[in-house]
Amino acid sequence: MAQQNATGTGNDPISIVSYSPHDALETSDFPASNAHLDATNVISIVCGNSRYHWALHGGYDDEYFPNLFWKTSTMGEFSEDDAENLQDYFPRKAFQAIGGPEFDSDHTIENLLHHITKRRIPFFHVYIISNGDKARETVPLLFSRVPCRIIQLQACDFVTGQYDGVGVDRCANLRAAQRYYGNPALVIDGGTAMTWTGTNSDGSFRGGGIAPGIGMKMRAMNESTGKLPYIDQDNVKAVFKKCFEEKKPLETYAKNTQDAMVVGVCREIALNLGSLVKEFQRYTKELFESNPPSARDLEDETPHNLRKNKPTRVVLTGGDGWLIEELLGEHHSYVIEEEQNSNGSTNTTHEDVIISQHKNLASHAIGILLKDTQLPKNAMTPVEQIRHDLLGLRVCKDIRRGTVCEVKRSEAKSIAADKFRIKYDDGLGETVGPEDLCEYLSDFAKNGEDPSFPDRDCAERKLHIENAKKAVETLENKVPQLKEKLLELQKKRASQGNQGPSSKKARAAAEPTVRREKKKKGPPEKSKKNNPFPDVSVELLEANPKKFLSERVAKHFDEDLYYGSVVSYDDNSKYWRVRYDDGDNEEYDVHDMDAYMKEYRLHPES
């Protein structure tokens, strides 16, 4: 649990904000789990046993079609401190698609935040398919530094009739297969574990099987015996290529260990899957004979998910899909020797069978799911329209800026009882009610973006201010007591002499940076008091520079003593940024920090 406790000026503390990265993880509940209509940063992750398969999807206008794919290793041991490594999981093309070509030279979390906060929806929608607990633990940690919604998809999102515990990826594959190829369809996924799963004529889940994949079989022979080597995919591919080019299959009675292992695994898979295809072919034929489809069902113009397949459709996917396609091809693609049946046919004779390979099938299924469940705004209820519009709004609390990433709907089906999850730009966050949300939106409408953004006055950021104003008006109309509470808050601030957010720091954050001429750097006035300052030293500052964020400082300019707060630290320049209570900003090096934090301890505010 990340936690920060910072003290503001006088009796006006900055609130403690407690936040767990796993607060961002939701279990799917469509249509509430739909992406925002204006979302542009939609990511899917299919978490396999040996690889994570990522995709970047288009938005609503592009029907959430995945247009960029990449693979990474699994995350292994991962902690919240590793969140800075997010850029290690994003290739250059992904950064360019998210924020523009400037990411070529600056693949950092800070640069990512700076650019996505200009978007109408300044957070990531992350949809994950995972059959184990590890990904559910690590993916939220990976995205813990950026605003996001992480939605764990379920098998029931994709098909009906499935059994409890079935792999979500298998059901996702079926959803994409029926959309692209019709029903019934057989999907064979050549992953770490090889699976086959079928649909019925109505698209419901028929069932399937699970077996060790090619790599698992090779690894098992290596690890479970004393001398058998491990034959990786590259070597298997080289054997296939040689057999195909020479039109000379591996001998069933091989003459060396490598060929013996490859032919043993390939014969087993080829004969098993060949038999499986023939069984599914008989099933398809029986369906048509018992319940003949109409002419309309067979027309090419009919949408695929409604079209009935007369020829048997077999869809291959997964890392070993290419290999399975070769083994199911004519003459086993000359990889292994063919067997003649008693009627003269062979196991590779598949009449009225169409075999297709479709990479990243589960990623496509996620895009199809989002398209099918998305509601246009005019089809939403009035309450859902408000919830939709609140997502992605920018807020201001004390010196923090943040983003509304999730609406936690109440059972009462009322905005007044909803909760709203906010992710702050510093990595922390909280879940608040409509009263606090209205206050934070109101403060953002008055104060705008963080002054550290060089483009805080650009059109995109000004639009966030206008949207915050509109949201405050909407919330006040829907929840009348909010208007009274805001008036009470404004009166309280006026009586305290504050006219901005709930601290001097936050008011300063809203004002433009102006460096006064009379503030010239000079040594701090020496004090006659003796104080050893055990909590401040150059060594401590260099060891943990971000520990001192929100500390108070005091500095003399000519005869005046000015107070301020440490608001940020730059890892590259190794400078801290200090915002004085009158709104000025200045950068401190480590020796400045040491001197002026000690000065504050000698001259604390009264």
Side-chain angles (χ1 to χ4, degrees):
M1 177 81 71
Q3 182 167 308
Q4 180 168 323
N5 188 349
T7 305
T9 305
N11 296 320
D12 192 8
I14 297 175
S15 303
I16 294 175
V17 179
S18 297
Y19 178 74
S20 165
H22 293 91
D23 292 345
L25 181 63
E26 313 167 36
T27 300
S28 60
D29 180 20
F30 289 95
S33 297
N34 282 333
H36 193 282
L37 290 171
D38 296 323
T40 53
N41 296 320
V42 180
I43 293 172
S44 66
I45 312 174
V46 181
C47 305
N49 294 305
S50 56
R51 293 283 187 274
Y52 283 1
H53 303 265
W54 300 65
L56 186 64
H57 297 250
Y60 176 71
D61 291 339
D62 296 320
E63 299 184 341
Y64 303 106
F65 190 84
N67 46 47
L68 180 63
F69 303 94
W70 68 98
K71 292 185 289 188
T72 67
S73 61
T74 57
M75 293 177 190
E77 296 301 320
F78 205 85
S79 70
E80 191 174 347
D81 294 334
D82 295 319
E84 293 289 343
N85 297 330
L86 175 62
Q87 58 263 40
D88 295 340
Y89 289 83
F90 276 40
R92 175 174 294 181
K93 286 185 178 179
F95 267 98
Q96 288 178 335
I98 291 167
E102 58 267 34
F103 280 109
D104 270 355
S105 58
D106 194 4
H107 290 196
T108 63
I109 295 293
E110 288 73 18
N111 195 29
L112 187 65
L113 277 169
H114 175 249
H115 284 84
I116 65 173
T117 51
K118 290 194 293 187
R119 302 288 178 90
R120 164 61 187 95
I121 303 301
F123 65 87
F124 288 98
H125 293 73
V126 183
Y127 294 90
I128 64 173
I129 289 177
S130 174
N131 296 324
D133 294 330
K134 190 65 178 178
R136 289 191 286 268
E137 289 295 319
T138 55
V139 171
L141 294 175
L142 181 64
F143 282 88
S144 62
R145 282 290 314 280
V146 295
C148 61
R149 284 182 79 185
I150 303 174
I151 297 168
Q152 169 77 42
L153 298 172
Q154 305 176 80
C156 60
D157 295 326
F158 295 102
V159 294
T160 60
Q162 75 286 353
Y163 62 83
D164 290 341
V166 66
V168 182
D169 55 338
R170 295 173 64 192
C171 295
N173 286 338
L174 292 182
R175 178 68 168 264
Q178 72 163 318
R179 175 57 54 87
Y180 293 131
Y181 303 104
N183 292 308
L186 173 66
V187 177
I188 301 174
D189 188 347
T192 302
M194 185 174 64
T195 65
W196 57 91
T197 320
T199 59
N200 295 308
S201 59
D202 61 356
S204 61
F205 183 88
R206 183 192 179 200
I210 305 172
I214 294 170
M216 188 183 293
K217 288 176 182 288
M218 293 296 185
R219 192 172 291 107
M221 285 193 285
N222 168 247
E223 294 176 355
S224 302
T225 63
K227 292 186 177 181
L228 292 180
Y230 172 62
I231 303 174
D232 62 19
Q233 191 182 69
D234 288 340
N235 282 324
V236 174
K237 192 177 292 187
V239 171
F240 273 50
K241 183 178 180 182
K242 181 180 178 182
C243 292
F244 183 77
E245 289 176 349
E246 297 179 358
K247 298 289 190 291
K248 184 179 179 181
L250 291 171
E251 295 179 356
T252 303
Y253 296 91
K255 302 299 191 296
N256 63 71
T257 300
Q258 175 171 292
D259 286 357
M261 293 173 67
V262 173
V263 76
V265 168
C266 290
R267 278 182 63 84
E268 182 182 352
I269 290 175
L271 297 175
N272 179 32
L273 295 184
S275 173
L276 182 70
V277 169
K278 288 187 177 298
E279 186 281 329
F280 199 78
Q281 187 179 18
R282 287 193 297 271
Y283 169 73
T284 304
K285 183 178 179 181
E286 290 170 1
L287 280 177
F288 271 73
E289 290 176 350
S290 61
N291 186 20
S294 66
R296 168 74 174 160
D297 291 336
L298 299 173
E299 289 177 359
D300 288 338
E301 291 75 15
T302 303
H304 281 147
N305 58 311
L306 300 177
R307 196 174 71 200
K308 301 296 188 290
N309 286 326
K310 187 171 184 179
T312 301
R313 294 304 300 245
V314 178
V315 185
L316 309 178
T317 191
D320 289 336
W322 65 271
L323 190 152
I324 295 170
E325 185 176 27
E326 300 290 349
L327 292 176
L328 291 177
E330 188 176 5
H331 309 300
H332 298 302
S333 301
Y334 299 100
V335 175
I336 59 175
E337 294 176 332
E338 273 188 300
E339 289 187 358
Q340 292 281 337
N341 296 320
S342 59
N343 61 1
S345 68
T346 67
N347 288 318
T348 60
T349 304
H350 300 301
E351 296 179 0
D352 292 329
V353 176
I354 300 175
I355 298 176
S356 307
Q357 184 172 181
H358 199 130
K359 295 182 179 180
N360 304 301
L361 198 59
S363 301
H364 282 275
I366 294 173
I368 291 166
L369 173 67
L370 297 180
K371 175 183 180 294
D372 289 349
T373 56
Q374 184 62 275
L375 292 174
K377 197 168 182 181
N378 58 12
M380 299 178 187
T381 66
V383 171
E384 282 301 320
Q385 288 184 23
I386 295 172
R387 288 167 171 159
H388 177 269
D389 290 343
L390 289 172
L391 284 171
L393 293 182
R394 296 284 285 167
V395 299
C396 171
K397 179 182 182 182
D398 303 317
I399 62 171
R400 291 188 176 93
R401 302 301 193 275
T403 302
V404 181
C405 292
E406 179 189 356
V407 179
K408 296 180 179 289
R409 290 159 173 76
S410 64
E411 294 182 2
K413 298 182 179 180
S414 166
I415 293 290
D418 284 347
K419 298 292 183 182
F420 306 87
R421 183 172 60 80
I422 297 171
K423 184 65 177 289
Y424 294 104
D425 295 349
D426 60 6
L428 301 180
E430 63 180 330
T431 299
V432 303
E435 296 87 355
D436 288 332
L437 176 64
C438 199
E439 177 188 343
Y440 302 164
L441 288 167
S442 178
D443 285 345
F444 185 85
K446 294 174 185 175
N447 302 296
E449 268 296 357
D450 189 326
S452 68
F453 287 160
D455 56 355
R456 75 186 296 257
D457 294 323
C458 69
E460 295 91 339
R461 300 197 188 283
K462 286 182 178 180
L463 182 60
H464 277 301
I465 293 175
E466 293 303 314
N467 289 335
K469 291 177 182 177
K470 293 176 183 177
V472 170
E473 294 175 1
T474 300
L475 287 171
E476 287 178 346
N477 290 333
K478 290 295 179 182
V479 190
Q481 62 267 33
L482 291 182
K483 193 168 188 176
E484 298 174 8
K485 291 189 177 183
L486 279 178
L487 288 173
E488 290 175 7
L489 178 65
Q490 291 169 3
K491 290 178 182 178
K492 180 181 177 182
R493 289 177 177 172
S495 67
Q496 294 175 344
N498 288 339
Q499 299 177 14
S502 57
S503 73
K504 290 183 180 179
K505 282 185 180 180
R507 187 177 76 247
E511 297 172 358
T513 300
V514 179
R515 193 179 294 278
R516 288 182 170 79
E517 289 299 324
K518 70 175 184 177
K519 289 189 179 177
K520 296 178 182 178
K521 245 182 181 180
E525 182 180 271
K526 293 184 179 179
S527 171
K528 297 179 181 178
K529 294 183 181 180
N530 182 24
N531 191 325
F533 309 117
D535 59 336
V536 181
S537 69
V538 170
E539 291 76 16
L540 290 172
L541 284 158
E542 289 178 336
N544 193 355
K546 293 185 179 180
K547 176 183 177 182
F548 297 89
L549 296 181
S550 300
E551 284 282 350
R552 296 289 286 166
V553 297
K555 179 178 178 180
H556 282 85
F557 291 91
D558 295 334
E559 297 178 356
D560 298 322
L561 185 65
Y562 286 81
Y563 293 98
S565 298
V566 183
V567 296
S568 66
Y569 176 76
D570 189 305
D571 290 312
N572 295 321
S573 67
K574 301 190 183 304
Y575 276 81
W576 289 261
R577 185 163 64 88
V578 170
R579 183 179 296 128
Y580 294 101
D581 294 345
D582 64 356
D584 284 7
N585 288 267
E586 188 171 9
E587 290 184 335
Y588 282 7
D589 63 20
V590 67
H591 299 289
D592 294 330
M593 284 284 291
D594 179 60
Y596 302 131
M597 285 174 62
K598 290 176 179 177
E599 188 69 15
Y600 178 80
R601 284 155 173 74
L602 292 174
H603 300 288
E605 297 151 290
S606 56

